[in-house]
C-alpha cells in the first residue's frame, strides 16, 4: 500500500450505497455533440460479501468508504467489479486496458466505480452487483485522447452516473490539475461529498439520493481558497470559456469565448 493512502481526512472519499445505476449524461470530451453512455445488464451467479482486505478505509461523519489506488489494493469484491468492467470494455472494444492500469477505484456494498488510464486514453466504469439482481452499470472511454495533457481549468469530469435524471445518487470520476488539493461535490441541498484525490485523478460516490440538478463540483487550492466551481450535470463538452494550450491552440470550447489557459495534467502529477 502506497503512502498516498495516508492522505488527510478531507481528501477521503465518503460513502455510497449499493444501487442499480443508470447511465446518464456521459459526454465525449472532444466531440461537439454529446455521446450517450453504454447501459449494461448481465446476469450474475452470485454477489460476493463486501469484505475489504488491504484497502484504504476513508473516515466520514456517517459511514466509511473503501478505496483502492491500484490493482494491489483491491478487495475480493472490488476486484470482481473491476473484472466485470474489463469484460464490458473488451466486449465493446473501447480502450485496450488491463487491471495493471487501474488508477483509482471505490466501492460501497455491491457498488463500485473505477478509472483506468493508459498512455493514450482512459476507460471508466460504474458497476452495481446487488445480490439476486442483474449486474448493471455503465462505461465510457477514449482510445485516442488528444487532450490527454490538458484540462479545461482545474477539474474535468470523465464519468457521471446518476440514479435519477439530473439527480439522485451519483458516481463520478475525473481528473484534476496540480493546483487542486480538495474537491467537493455540493449536492444543492446543503449536503456535501468530498472526493478522494490521488495522482491527478479522483472518484466519488454519494449516498442518500440527495444530489440535485444544481449540484456543483468545487475545487480548492492548498490554502483552502476556492479556485473553481462548475455545475455537475452540465454536459462535459460545454464551457463558458474556451481553453488554450501554451501555444495558443484551443483544446476545449469554441474560439472567441473569453479564452483562458488550459491547465497541464499528468497522471503522476499529484496535487
Amino acid at each position: 500500500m502506497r503512502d498516498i493512502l495516508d492522505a488527510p481526512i478531507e481528501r477521503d472519499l465518503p460513502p455510497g450505497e449499493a444501487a442499480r445505476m443508470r447511465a446518464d449524461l456521459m459526454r465525449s470530451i472532444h466531440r461537439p455533440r454529446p455521446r450517450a453512455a453504454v447501459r449494461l445488464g448481465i446476469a450474475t451467479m452470485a454477489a460476493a460479501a463486501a469484505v475489504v482486505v488491504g484497502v484504504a478505509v476513508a473516515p466520514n461523519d456517517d459511514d466509511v468508504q473503501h478505496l483502492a489506488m491500484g490493482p494491489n489494493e483491491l478487495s475480493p469484491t472490488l476486484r470482481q467489479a473491476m473484472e466485470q468492467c474489463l469484460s464490458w470494455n473488451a466486449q465493446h472494444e473501447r480502450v485496450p486496458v488491463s487491471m495493471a492500469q487501474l488508477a483509482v477505484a471505490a466501492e460501497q456494498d455491491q457498488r463500485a466505480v473505477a478509472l483506468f488510464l493508459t498512455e493514450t486514453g482512459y476507460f471508466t466504469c460504474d458497476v452495481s452487483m446487488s445480490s439476486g439482481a442483474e449486474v448493471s452499470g455503465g462505461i465510457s472511454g477514449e482510445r485516442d485522447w488528444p487532450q490527454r495533457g490538458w484540462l479545461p481549468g482545474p477539474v474535468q469530469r470523465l464519468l457521471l452516473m446518476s440514479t435519477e435524471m439530473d439527480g439522485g445518487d451519483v458516481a463520478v470520476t475525473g481528473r484534476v490539475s496540480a493546483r487542486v488539493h480538495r474537491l467537493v461535490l455540493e449536492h444543492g441541498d446543503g449536503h456535501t461529498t468530498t472526493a478522494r484525490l490521488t495522482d491527478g485523478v479522483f472518484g466519488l460516490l454519494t449516498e442518500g439520493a440527495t444530489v440535485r440538478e444544481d449540484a456543483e463540483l468545487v475545487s480548492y487550492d492548498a490554502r483552502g481558497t476556492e479556485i473553481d466551481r462548475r455545475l455537475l450535470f452540465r454536459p462535459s463538452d460545454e464551457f463558458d470559456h474556451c481553453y488554450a494550450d501554451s501555444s495558443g491552440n484551443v483544446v476545449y470550447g469554441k474560439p472567441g469565448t473569453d479564452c483562458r489557459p488550459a491547465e497541464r495534467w499528468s497522471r503522476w502529477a499529484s496535487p
Side-chain angles (χ1 to χ4, degrees):
M1 189 172 296
R2 295 181 293 177
D3 293 338
I4 192 66
L5 297 179
D6 296 325
I9 290 177
E10 66 267 23
R11 289 187 179 181
D12 287 340
L13 182 64
E17 65 177 358
R20 173 175 291 188
M21 300 296 291
R22 183 183 63 187
D24 182 41
L25 295 171
M26 292 163 55
R27 302 291 190 257
S28 167
I29 65 171
H30 71 279
R31 296 179 182 175
R33 293 183 62 83
R35 183 182 61 207
V38 176
R39 179 74 173 112
L40 303 163
I42 299 176
T44 181
M45 295 180 63
V51 178
V52 178
V53 179
V55 179
V57 179
N60 180 267
D61 293 338
D62 302 315
D63 204 341
V64 296
Q65 175 71 54
H66 301 298
L67 279 294
M69 304 306 167
N72 295 328
E73 298 159 6
L74 295 173
S75 71
T77 50
L78 193 49
R79 180 171 293 277
Q80 181 182 5
M82 296 305 95
E83 289 172 349
Q84 181 64 76
C85 284
L86 292 174
S87 175
W88 286 337
N89 181 55
Q91 291 171 26
H92 292 272
E93 299 181 342
R94 284 302 182 96
V95 183
V97 295
S98 67
M99 195 73 76
Q101 292 159 317
L102 176 65
V104 63
E107 70 173 329
Q108 176 71 33
D109 299 326
Q110 289 85 32
R111 178 183 165 197
V113 66
L115 174 62
F116 297 80
L117 292 170
T118 74
E119 289 299 316
T120 59
Y122 76 90
F123 171 70
T124 182
C125 69
D126 170 85
V127 185
S128 179
M129 300 172 60
S130 300
S131 179
E134 284 187 331
V135 175
S136 62
I139 62 174
S140 183
E142 292 286 341
R143 181 187 296 265
D144 180 19
W145 194 9
Q147 301 98 332
R148 184 183 187 279
W150 299 97
L151 295 171
V155 63
Q156 180 182 41
R157 171 172 57 78
L158 296 178
L159 173 75
L160 171 60
M161 308 288 289
S162 63
T163 55
E164 301 173 11
M165 180 63 71
D166 294 355
D169 274 322
V170 299
V172 189
T173 64
R175 308 188 292 166
V176 294
S177 74
R179 289 201 297 147
V180 179
H181 281 244
R182 189 167 182 253
L183 181 65
V184 176
L185 173 63
E186 295 185 355
H187 294 199
D189 66 346
H191 292 84
T192 62
T193 296
T194 304
R196 177 65 181 264
L197 307 179
T198 176
D199 292 349
V201 299
F202 75 89
L204 67 84
L205 297 169
T206 64
E207 179 185 36
T210 64
V211 179
R212 297 183 178 178
E213 183 178 3
D214 59 349
E216 295 180 301
L217 282 172
V218 186
S219 304
Y220 299 89
D221 64 16
R223 296 182 179 181
T225 302
E226 180 180 316
I227 58 176
D228 186 78
R229 178 180 290 266
R230 60 187 64 191
L231 289 170
L232 175 68
F233 289 105
R234 186 173 189 176
S236 60
D237 59 351
E238 293 183 7
F239 307 98
D240 290 327
H241 314 277
C242 63
Y243 295 88
D245 62 21
S246 56
S247 299
N249 299 314
V250 175
V251 289
Y252 294 100
K254 298 179 180 179
T257 54
D258 187 19
C259 213
R260 299 183 176 184
E263 299 196 23
R264 283 198 176 275
W265 179 82
S266 170
R267 167 68 179 89
W268 298 274
S270 301

